[in-house]
Amino acid sequence: MTSKKISFRKRLALEITKLTRKDVIQQHPLRTLFWECTLRCNAACRHCGSDCKVSPVQKDMPIADFLRVIDSITPHVNPHNVLVILTGGEALVRNDIEQCGLELYRRGYPWGIVSNGYLLTEQRLLSLRRAGLHAMTISIDGFEEAHDWLRGVKNSSQKASQAVKLLAQTTDVVWDVVTCANQKNFDSLNEFKEYLIGLGVKQWRIFTIFPVGRAADNPELQLTDEQFTKLMHFLADTRKEGRIHVSYGCEGFLGGYEAEVRDAFYHCDAGITVGSVLSDGSISACPSIRANYNQGNIYHDDFWTVWDTKFQQFRDRSWMKKGDCTDCSMYRYCEGNGFHLRDENGDLLVCHYHRLER
């Protein structure tokens, strides 16, 4: 299957996007703040980048410590424009999430959770909503065999589907489903799409698994280049159908498929509009970044000072123009691909555009 070429019209739009992007980088408004509230997890996912465990050495950060960060940034932002996302690990293993959520709600911050759905019962969802839950993402990675294989826990597919059914009954929570495409679920994505529609899913995001953490040495988790191209066609066709709003994750630049498989042209917002507080207090950008590009630590640095004055590696990515990026004409648009796809030495692990061109 051949890749899709970039039209003149699309290239012009990419140039305009590049120009407007400069202003965003210069202003670097904090719009999304992740809190890695725990490294504990009730699953054993084969693709986990955090290498989470049921009882990790790293203890959960006290809520009071995170709220001090929130209070320190409040004078500098409009809280209503900053989405706080609780992630992990599995955020719902903490029994005090509602306490944190309520404090965020009182301060005017919308907040959400990324979850595997295993612990989401009707009672827990009601409790979260009473604490002001704004958004939620549930991971479902295909039908039962494929999902349970990837998550490493029996009945996890059933639990995730039940969580989606509960969310489908709400009207006050913005929610979606994410799916990690891999060798186990790729051939059944079309049937799985119908299943999700039947559950009441309106918003669906599909990711591909990048080779870090546990996923680094597991070839079953990676799509072939041919499958990756077919995935782009599946996404484009599904979007044209209009029965479920599907998009490819913020993974990388996709050449001619840009603006056809997601809602906007590719850009990596790590360290530009997206920041995070990790479980040990490290101040980072997107929590998907597993190489050490931390910019400070809340236990000896002021978060806002770090956000406003550091993160230069993220905001000036000219240093990424090396290796495969050195002579690539698409670098001007992708600026070296997603930050989470760079290793400790700054070398690129995956280039989505080149995968589509092969």
Side-chain angles (χ1 to χ4, degrees):
M1 181 174 289
T2 58
S3 63
K4 190 178 183 67
K5 301 301 180 183
I6 304 177
S7 66
F8 173 79
R9 191 174 189 178
K10 188 171 293 184
R11 194 178 289 268
L12 180 60
L14 284 167
E15 291 292 341
I16 295 172
T17 300
K18 180 177 175 62
L19 290 174
T20 58
R21 183 78 175 153
K22 290 182 179 179
D23 291 334
V24 176
I25 294 173
Q26 184 176 11
Q27 296 171 16
H28 50 267
L30 182 63
R31 294 174 180 162
T32 305
L33 177 62
F34 286 91
W35 179 31
E36 188 180 57
C37 65
T38 184
L39 284 183
R40 290 184 293 138
C41 190
N42 52 356
C45 301
R46 294 174 186 268
H47 63 308
C48 182
S50 305
D51 198 23
C52 299
K53 299 176 176 64
V54 175
S55 299
V57 175
Q58 179 66 48
K59 294 183 179 179
D60 294 350
M61 180 186 294
I63 288 176
D65 293 358
F66 179 65
L67 290 177
R68 277 195 289 273
V69 174
I70 294 297
D71 290 338
S72 74
I73 71 173
T74 298
H76 307 281
V77 302
N78 180 345
H80 300 292
N81 295 334
V82 180
L83 175 63
V84 180
I85 301 177
L86 280 53
T87 184
E90 169 54 45
L92 292 183
V93 301
R94 290 191 62 149
N95 295 322
D96 56 358
I97 287 298
E98 288 86 346
Q99 177 187 341
C100 179
L102 187 58
E103 291 300 326
L104 291 170
Y105 179 77
R106 287 170 175 167
R107 288 163 169 79
Y109 289 88
W111 64 279
I113 294 178
V114 177
S115 174
N116 59 33
Y118 200 92
L119 297 175
L120 190 68
T121 63
E122 184 176 0
Q123 294 74 22
R124 189 75 194 271
L125 179 57
L126 178 60
S127 177
L128 293 166
R129 290 166 62 197
R130 286 173 173 169
L133 177 68
H134 173 74
M136 195 162 198
T137 292
I138 300 294
S139 297
I140 311 182
D141 298 300
F143 293 112
E144 183 175 1
E145 181 181 357
H147 178 93
D148 290 0
W149 172 82
L150 187 62
R151 297 291 163 174
V153 179
K154 290 183 178 181
N155 300 321
S156 57
S157 173
Q158 179 182 352
K159 294 284 188 178
S161 294
Q162 183 59 37
V164 168
K165 291 177 182 177
L166 291 172
L167 286 167
Q169 298 174 22
T170 67
T171 57
D172 57 345
V173 179
V174 178
W175 61 277
D176 67 353
V177 164
V178 297
T179 298
C180 292
N182 59 80
Q183 292 291 338
K184 292 287 188 179
N185 64 16
F186 180 76
D187 290 335
S188 61
L189 282 177
N190 195 57
E191 291 82 4
F192 186 60
K193 173 191 70 177
E194 299 298 331
Y195 174 72
L196 292 179
I197 292 173
L199 288 180
V201 176
K202 305 295 184 184
Q203 303 288 332
W204 185 26
R205 284 180 291 155
I206 295 181
F207 288 80
T208 43
I209 299 171
F210 47 98
V212 299
R214 296 177 191 168
D217 301 313
N218 193 333
E220 290 184 284
L221 298 176
Q222 311 299 326
L223 298 182
T224 66
D225 293 344
E226 182 181 3
Q227 288 173 326
F228 185 60
T229 303
K230 287 182 178 179
L231 177 62
M232 296 301 109
H233 285 270
F234 169 76
L235 290 163
D237 290 344
T238 300
R239 288 171 66 89
K240 289 177 182 177
E241 285 179 357
R243 297 169 58 226
I244 184 172
H245 187 78
V246 67
S247 61
Y248 185 60
C250 51
E251 287 283 304
F253 180 73
L254 302 173
Y257 296 97
E258 283 296 318
E260 295 185 21
V261 298
R262 53 190 166 208
D263 296 342
F265 287 110
Y266 168 75
H267 53 268
C268 177
D269 283 330
I272 298 172
T273 64
V274 176
S276 67
V277 176
L278 304 183
S279 60
D280 64 353
S282 294
I283 299 171
S284 185
C286 172
S288 292
I289 299 170
R290 286 302 148 188
N292 185 8
Y293 290 98
N294 298 337
Q295 301 294 297
N297 192 290
I298 65 168
Y299 291 113
H300 51 72
D301 298 304
D302 174 67
F303 181 93
W304 187 259
T305 300
V306 172
W307 176 258
D308 198 38
T309 63
K310 293 191 176 182
F311 287 92
Q312 295 312 308
Q313 289 172 298
F314 297 83
R315 296 166 189 171
D316 179 2
R317 303 191 183 188
S318 57
W319 64 271
M320 288 185 173
K321 195 172 176 60
K322 63 178 185 175
D324 289 343
C325 299
T326 303
D327 300 317
C328 181
S329 61
M330 295 298 110
Y331 174 83
R332 64 184 292 102
Y333 305 131
C334 79
E335 295 188 321
N337 218 3
F339 218 103
H340 65 293
L341 297 172
R342 295 277 168 171
D343 64 13
E344 297 280 353
N345 299 316
D347 295 327
L348 183 63
L349 299 173
V350 176
C351 175
H352 295 72
Y353 175 71
H354 286 159
R355 293 190 71 187
L356 292 167
E357 287 295 297
R358 288 172 186 161

